[in-house]
Amino acid sequence: MADTAVYKEEGAGIAGQRGFLRKTFLHNMPAKIAALPMVATVLVVFVGCTLWTVYYSFTNSRLLPTGKFVGFEQYERLFATSRWNISVTNLISYGAMSLVLTLTLGFLLAVLMDQKIRFESAFRTIMLYPFALSFIVTGLVWQWIMNPTLGLQGTFRNLGWTGFTFDWIANPRMVLFALLIAGLWQGVGFCMVLMLAGLRGVDDEIWKAARIDGIPTWRTYVSIVLPMMRGVLVTAVVLIGSGIVRLYDLVVALTNGGPGISSEVPAKYVYNYMFSGGNIGQGLAAATMMLLTVIIIMVPWAYLEFGGKGRRS
Amino acid sequence: MQHSVSIRDLSLNFGSVKVLETLNLDIEQGEFIVLLGPSGCGKSTLLNCIAGLLDVSAGQIFIGGKNVTWMEPKDRGIGMVFQSYALYPQMTVERNLSFGLRVSGMKKDEIERRVARAAEILQIEPLLGRKPANLSGGQRQRVAIGRALVRDVDVFLFDEPLSNLDAKLRSDLRVEIKRLHQRLKNTMIYVTHDQIEALTLADRIAIMKNGVIQQLADPHTIYNKPVNLYVAGFIGSPSMNFIEGTLDGSSFTAEDGTVIPVATYDFADKAKATGKAVLGVRPEHILLGDDAAKMPYSLEVEIEIVEPMGSDTLAWTTIAGRPVTFRAASDVHLEAGQKLVVGFDPARGSFFSSETTNRL
Amino acid sequence: MSQTAIMAGAAPETGTGTAVEPRGPRPKPFFTPRKIIIYSVLILFSFYFLFPLYVMIATSFKTMPEIRFGNIFALPQQINFDAWVRAWTSVCTGLTCEGLSPGFWNSVKITIPSTIVSIFIAAVNGYALVNWRFKGSEIFFAILIFGSFIPYQVFLYPLVMITRELRIFGTLQAVILVHTIFGMPILTLLFRNYFASLPQELFKAARVDGAGFWRIFFEIMLPMSLPIFVVALILQVTGIWNDFLFGVVFAGTQNYPMTVQLNNIVNSAQGSPEYNVNMAATVLTGLVPLIIYFVSGKLFVRGVAAGAVKG
């Protein structure tokens, strides 16, 4: 409503005499022209491309998208493919661990940073710098550190600790943890910064009141401050979560899905079928499944954040 | 007699900035003390020091005869009420009141007894199951007072508790705090920048500026016998009229040559009543009409501006070359350009030395 | 008094006879268990965060025999730039063996125009959304934000087809277009929130003075938006520089950005791996965002947080 008010002031005087057409279409014209890139992006990319992908996931397109409709055939094949199923399982296990650990460590570090410590900005710089790096860089460094022969394992064995084993990157059962170490290295600092901003947003007088009440610091964090940070926590979960679903570059650089197919993830499956597997329909079906996952995560969040506002305050 | 709260040579520095300077203050048992001053004068800082929320740089604090300088806030025997209420948002009113007691491991029936008593005193029983978000500002502030009440302490600290409320609620709660004080007879230390709150609530007011207490006295003395120009100008609305001039024992000569007799004025030390000085007269002490003529000093003036305030009327004029306001009853008809006789008794005013700004 | 226990470590002061009278600040021992725990945990984590940076740099200065027989913790015996030179000029990045330098210049050629175009469009969007709302503008914005959470894989193939139709697939233009599209949600949000925080009276005053859409934008809004432009700049330059997916799909082999070529050096290498060259190449690729990070300091943090604050 506020928008109409802005240009009605002028509308009353000038456009009042100049006809209906000008009033509805030409008014605010420069703004509409300026917003064309945004409108085009929304309509063509975010709506159009999504619909296109969903539609063609029901066709038997192979090297080129064709119109032959085959119903859920691509999806049946998708869930009959062990590589896809492993990808999904991997994403769920990695995602759960990564989400929980990122949030816990992020919160823990933020609490420590909140204790009026010295060198706060130095610690923050150290924790956040990995976030500025490319996933490719992160993946390659950790690939080198975890190299079984010359990395940490080799070094400790050469130093005389012959039983030392750290071969997660080459061990199908442990490779997800290798991914986790690299992923946390990159993401925890970001989560810490978010949480710290949340902590600093808590009214100072709440802390004073808790001290007068004699509530121990840890108890204040757990029982009073943490529940007050609901907004920041939800934001962190949504951002970390959407990052996890997108997980691609890090896997490509660190393990390239290996050993075997033990660290495959959905995003990589989509890419491989679309651009190297020559089975577009299959790739689109997998992409649609990713879209579905995000919608399932996003809708409750959007509801809580925007729909449920009336009840919250 | 033992003081309820005693502050000895208290200083506080933040780095090189001196916030409080060798401050001394003794508060009697059951006394209502208001710390009054503009923002940044150190009044909230002083309160936080008493509460133990700020570490002092030097000096000592005694509460109930015990040296609490190094004690944790919870052990000092104080309760505190904050401007933003500082209620725990996700807990019900009942839990807000009881949380501190639960954490301290108090017995359940004792907690219940205390919460019930506080709820009864503050009349918040129907609200016990609600969360702070569902309370009005006034209700929240009652709950915040209740949280101090359940601690069963001798000293209550209020940090601008009414500043977030609108004018109407503010005066309602003001009365309620006064009633609470009369019922409980606790020592209360109350920080505010609102002089009406200070004048209405306090047994004694401490007016602060730059970390130093300027005057500590009952509201009547503060209002009628301010110790210096600062206090005189700070208290009172509209503020006191000031006329600069020179004293020579029996009369005061304003800068434009107007002579005002001062024989009736009770100087602290008559011998020092010479030299450059400032005469302060409160607007309501300037009388008009027949009353004016009886005053030791009266003159005819022209009214420049009239501000009707409802209960009374404020008028602007010029006396001795200075803009001066005076109050008239609302039924007296005044208008700009009108000429009339006004007068006042310097005995009801105050003289301050221009040099030291102190009262003469 | 009950406070004597706490005062045990304090310097003696003028007392009342039996106990030291508390006076002045609370005694604060230099080491408390609390402090020790806090700092040791923080320092432990700092090792975790710093270790890869150290390994990366140390390895890049070593020779291959040194790597094979030494250990990963050791400092290089001497500073040896051979690996850096090789990484920059002659290591094989897939089909060609010209080192990372072409990739670096490709990244520059992608990053500069993408950053400028995406920021300009987003600034105009944010301005229009705040001050010149039109019917449906908020809906478009909502879809834009929601769309930013959808995995890129969903849009990838249709965008390939669109860029093919536009005859720009496999060129720099295609990557620039894609970066502009996917940078739009976060940047628009950033600018929208910023413009909304400016006093609206300013805009109204300008309108009363008769200024139009573009004049207000260029003469009033832009001069006031320097801080947010810097934040957007940091966000975009690091984001685009670090991109892998769009580069590998849309740029075409000739225009592969640095990240893609770096990955090729390490993961598609023939013969025995040269770890020192790999690490030199990795440091080189990470250098640009790292420099931006260290130079921008708090602004980077602000950019990171801005991305998280919902409008």
Side-chain angles (χ1 to χ4, degrees):
Chain A
M1 287 318 290
D3 47 337
T4 49
V6 172
Y7 49 90
K8 254 197 183 135
E9 296 158 10
E10 175 197 89
I14 309 165
Q17 321 151 358
R18 289 196 195 172
F20 178 76
L21 185 91
R22 182 175 169 82
K23 213 168 190 174
T24 30
F25 292 102
L26 298 184
H27 248 298
N28 216 1
M29 209 52 212
K32 286 175 184 163
I33 293 171
L36 267 184
M38 177 177 82
V39 172
T41 300
V42 166
L43 292 181
V44 176
V45 180
F46 289 122
V47 176
C49 290
T50 307
L51 293 179
W52 192 95
T53 294
V54 174
Y55 178 79
Y56 277 90
S57 72
F58 293 103
T59 66
N60 67 349
S61 313
R62 294 195 68 84
L63 277 171
L64 284 172
T66 57
K68 183 139 190 327
F69 198 75
V70 292
F72 282 93
E73 203 175 279
Q74 295 287 8
Y75 292 88
E76 283 163 24
R77 263 192 58 202
L78 186 65
F79 284 99
T81 314
S82 65
R83 185 168 166 189
W84 170 255
N85 288 326
I86 287 174
S87 299
V88 172
T89 324
N90 280 348
L91 189 70
I92 293 172
S93 339
Y94 171 84
M97 291 188 292
S98 169
L99 190 64
V100 170
L101 283 174
T102 309
L103 288 173
T104 340
L105 293 177
F107 183 70
L108 177 79
L109 289 173
V111 166
L112 295 181
M113 296 281 283
D114 197 29
Q115 305 305 307
K116 297 193 178 76
I117 55 162
R118 281 159 159 268
F119 314 117
E120 181 191 317
S121 93
F123 279 120
R124 191 186 51 227
T125 305
I126 289 171
M127 289 181 204
L128 192 59
Y129 87 89
F131 190 71
L133 292 172
S134 164
F135 275 119
I136 302 295
V137 169
T138 304
L140 296 179
V141 181
W142 282 99
Q143 188 196 66
W144 164 234
I145 292 174
M146 294 196 259
N147 181 316
T149 42
L150 295 171
L152 278 181
Q153 173 174 296
T155 298
F156 277 112
R157 286 187 180 174
N158 282 344
L159 290 174
W161 186 357
T162 50
F164 183 82
T165 306
F166 184 57
D167 62 347
W168 294 359
I169 203 169
N171 180 343
R173 276 172 39 218
M174 299 303 284
V175 70
L176 282 189
F177 293 98
L179 216 52
L180 196 62
I181 288 184
L184 289 178
W185 181 75
Q186 179 141 15
V188 164
F190 168 65
C191 186
M192 185 278 289
V193 168
L194 273 188
M195 298 279 193
L196 189 59
L199 290 179
R200 298 267 155 94
V202 170
D203 184 1
D204 216 25
E205 292 196 332
I206 287 276
W207 275 104
K208 290 182 178 178
R211 265 188 83 189
I212 301 250
D213 269 352
I215 298 159
T217 310
W218 68 268
R219 189 80 198 261
T220 311
Y221 274 114
V222 174
S223 304
I224 297 169
V225 173
L226 197 57
M228 287 178 78
M229 284 172 49
R230 193 185 143 281
V232 172
L233 289 175
V234 170
T235 306
V237 169
V238 169
L239 290 180
I240 297 168
S242 71
I244 289 170
V245 176
R246 238 172 235 181
L247 180 70
Y248 173 74
D249 315 16
L250 184 63
V251 179
V252 168
L254 188 66
T255 66
N256 203 16
I261 53 168
S262 55
S263 62
E264 287 288 343
V265 285
K268 190 160 173 295
Y269 185 93
V270 173
Y271 181 87
N272 287 358
Y273 273 85
M274 272 183 196
F275 298 105
S276 12
N279 192 341
I280 293 165
Q282 186 62 188
L284 293 176
T288 307
M289 288 313 297
M290 292 178 71
L291 173 67
L292 200 64
T293 318
V294 170
I295 290 176
I296 289 170
I297 299 173
M298 288 288 290
V299 166
W301 169 72
Y303 175 75
L304 277 175
E305 203 66 359
F306 306 108
K309 220 159 207 170
R311 287 179 303 129
R312 193 145 49 94
S313 57
Chain B
M1 176 177 168
Q2 192 184 52
H3 301 294
S4 172
V5 176
S6 224
I7 290 152
R8 301 273 159 77
D9 302 326
L10 187 75
S11 294
L12 182 78
N13 316 321
F14 290 135
S16 62
V17 183
K18 286 182 178 157
V19 186
L20 297 175
E21 263 195 281
T22 25
L23 195 139
N24 284 287
L25 179 63
D26 287 323
I27 299 168
E28 305 307 328
Q29 182 63 44
E31 196 175 18
F32 200 123
I33 286 271
V34 173
L35 305 177
L36 177 66
S39 58
C41 71
K43 57 191 193 300
S44 277
T45 311
L46 174 58
L47 196 73
N48 279 315
C49 287
I50 297 172
L53 295 168
L54 278 177
D55 213 6
V56 305
S57 305
Q60 294 170 304
I61 298 168
F62 295 85
I63 295 176
K66 264 196 312 193
N67 185 338
V68 298
T69 314
W70 289 350
M71 277 193 200
E72 272 299 302
K74 68 177 164 79
D75 302 321
R76 295 188 174 203
I78 50 146
M80 189 160 175
V81 179
F82 298 92
Q83 178 178 356
S84 68
Y85 323 124
L87 299 178
Y88 311 135
Q90 71 291 345
M91 297 183 192
T92 61
V93 168
E94 192 273 331
R95 252 191 105 70
N96 257 290
L97 295 181
S98 63
F99 191 57
L101 305 180
R102 279 170 211 257
V103 168
S104 73
M106 184 183 282
K107 282 209 181 70
K108 256 217 162 92
D109 47 347
E110 172 67 8
I111 296 179
E112 275 171 25
R113 198 186 61 73
R114 287 194 187 185
V115 170
R117 175 171 171 270
E120 184 264 314
I121 292 176
L122 296 161
Q123 295 169 338
I124 52 172
E125 287 116 326
L127 310 177
L128 286 178
R130 292 211 216 155
K131 293 208 171 161
N134 302 322
L135 301 177
S136 69
Q139 291 171 328
R140 286 182 209 185
Q141 199 51 282
R142 272 165 213 260
V143 177
I145 295 172
R147 195 169 52 187
L149 217 57
V150 293
R151 292 177 55 73
D152 213 7
V153 290
D154 294 327
V155 180
F156 277 27
L157 309 177
F158 293 87
D159 193 354
E160 309 229 11
L162 305 182
S163 299
N164 280 9
L165 300 171
D166 59 46
K168 171 89 179 69
L169 259 177
R170 201 179 300 174
S171 58
D172 290 351
L173 263 154
R174 207 168 63 205
V175 174
E176 214 148 317
I177 288 175
K178 188 144 194 168
R179 192 172 289 142
L180 187 74
H181 179 238
Q182 280 172 1
R183 172 165 176 180
L184 299 175
K185 300 198 165 50
N186 288 26
T187 306
M188 294 193 175
I189 308 176
Y190 188 107
V191 164
T192 184
H193 62 267
D194 181 327
Q195 46 173 304
I196 304 295
E197 276 173 36
L199 292 167
T200 51
L201 287 171
D203 293 327
R204 281 194 297 164
I205 299 174
I207 296 194
M208 293 183 67
K209 182 195 171 192
N210 299 337
V212 176
I213 294 179
Q214 305 288 315
Q215 185 170 14
L216 173 66
D218 60 279
H220 185 82
T221 312
I222 294 259
Y223 190 79
N224 291 298
K225 297 206 169 351
V227 293
N228 58 28
L229 266 176
Y230 177 78
V231 174
F234 187 78
I235 284 279
S237 172
S239 55
M240 193 181 256
N241 299 302
F242 292 115
I243 300 167
E244 280 154 41
T246 316
L247 266 177
D248 63 358
S250 61
S251 66
F252 174 78
T253 313
E255 280 172 342
D256 73 337
T258 311
V259 178
I260 299 170
V262 297
T264 51
Y265 188 84
D266 183 22
F267 284 102
D269 183 354
K270 213 146 193 163
K272 286 186 186 160
T274 52
K276 292 234 172 250
V278 178
L279 167 63
V281 183
R282 293 217 177 269
E284 62 271 28
H285 293 156
I286 299 179
L287 306 177
L288 39 157
D290 298 339
D291 299 330
K294 294 175 200 147
M295 288 291 125
Y297 177 73
S298 62
L299 75 167
E300 193 186 52
V301 295
E302 182 181 330
I303 295 179
E304 288 154 12
I305 295 171
V306 177
E307 293 181 284
M309 317 279 272
S311 58
D312 47 23
T313 301
L314 207 62
W316 290 75
T317 183
T318 305
I319 296 178
R322 306 283 304 175
V324 163
T325 59
F326 62 89
R327 236 188 250 271
S330 58
D331 52 0
V332 178
H333 179 76
L334 295 176
E335 61 185 43
Q338 186 184 343
K339 295 206 164 156
L340 77 170
V341 176
V342 299
F344 59 87
D345 181 358
R348 300 199 66 181
S350 305
F351 280 103
F352 303 98
S353 152
S354 294
E355 199 182 328
T356 63
T357 78
N358 286 335
R359 184 184 185 82
L360 293 169
Chain C
M1 294 207 181
S2 61
Q3 287 309 95
T4 43
I6 296 175
M7 292 150 34
E13 294 216 30
T14 47
T16 52
T18 49
V20 184
E21 188 74 0
R23 179 186 291 277
R26 290 188 186 105
K28 284 200 195 97
F30 194 71
F31 290 110
T32 59
R34 200 178 108 93
K35 271 191 191 170
I36 293 171
I37 291 171
I38 289 172
Y39 284 102
S40 28
V41 173
L42 284 176
I43 289 167
L44 201 73
F45 271 94
S46 298
F47 276 120
Y48 168 51
F49 288 112
L50 283 175
F51 181 59
L53 187 65
Y54 166 75
V55 167
M56 213 174 353
I57 294 169
T59 308
S60 71
F61 287 117
K62 290 177 185 173
T63 60
M64 268 318 284
E66 207 182 329
I67 291 171
R68 239 173 260 123
F69 302 110
N71 77 53
I72 197 163
F73 298 110
L75 277 167
Q77 283 156 356
Q78 63 197 62
I79 298 297
N80 184 334
F81 280 97
D82 294 354
W84 287 67
V85 174
R86 190 162 150 63
W88 184 251
T89 59
S90 61
V91 72
C92 293
T93 59
L95 296 175
T96 57
C97 292
E98 295 165 5
L100 259 183
S101 50
F104 173 85
W105 293 114
N106 286 342
S107 280
V108 171
K109 278 185 260 176
I110 292 170
T111 305
I112 291 176
S114 304
T115 304
I116 295 171
V117 174
S118 62
I119 291 181
F120 178 76
I121 289 181
V124 174
N125 283 346
Y127 165 64
L129 281 169
V130 171
N131 293 319
W132 298 84
R133 295 193 217 169
F134 50 89
K135 210 170 185 187
S137 63
E138 284 298 290
I139 297 170
F140 284 118
F141 178 66
I143 300 176
L144 197 67
I145 296 300
F146 189 83
S148 71
F149 290 102
I150 299 175
Y152 298 135
Q153 274 74 12
V154 173
F155 312 113
L156 227 43
Y157 204 85
L159 279 175
V160 168
M161 298 197 35
I162 290 171
T163 47
R164 269 207 193 113
E165 283 301 308
L166 297 171
R167 299 182 190 286
I168 55 170
F169 181 73
T171 66
L172 290 175
Q173 286 98 304
V175 202
I176 294 165
L177 177 71
V178 172
H179 278 304
T180 307
I181 289 172
F182 291 108
M184 206 183 285
I186 177 72
L187 292 179
T188 302
L189 178 76
L190 204 67
F191 279 102
R192 192 190 84 127
N193 289 355
Y194 183 79
F195 288 133
S197 73
L198 295 178
Q200 290 303 300
E201 286 75 15
L202 208 71
F203 170 77
K204 286 180 186 158
R207 289 232 49 199
V208 171
D209 286 344
F213 185 92
W214 293 109
R215 182 176 285 267
I216 298 179
F217 180 67
F218 283 111
E219 293 187 12
I220 295 174
M221 294 304 183
L222 282 198
M224 295 182 71
S225 320
L226 187 67
I228 204 70
F229 267 95
V230 176
V231 169
L233 197 71
I234 294 165
L235 211 64
Q236 279 305 83
V237 172
T238 51
I240 294 169
W241 191 273
N242 288 338
D243 161 69
F244 176 79
L245 186 64
F246 298 145
V248 81
V249 173
F250 293 96
T253 327
Q254 286 307 304
N255 303 316
Y256 274 164
M258 212 172 181
T259 47
V260 178
Q261 299 210 341
L262 170 69
N263 190 52
N264 285 349
I265 291 174
V266 180
N267 285 332
S268 333
Q270 312 285 315
S272 65
E274 302 168 275
Y275 295 110
N276 50 355
V277 178
N278 290 352
M279 283 304 113
T282 309
V283 177
L284 281 169
T285 310
L287 216 51
V288 169
L290 274 187
I291 289 171
I292 291 175
Y293 173 73
F294 285 114
V295 170
S296 64
K298 283 229 154 132
L299 279 173
F300 184 88
V301 177
R302 206 178 138 195
V304 164
V309 178
K310 290 283 162 298

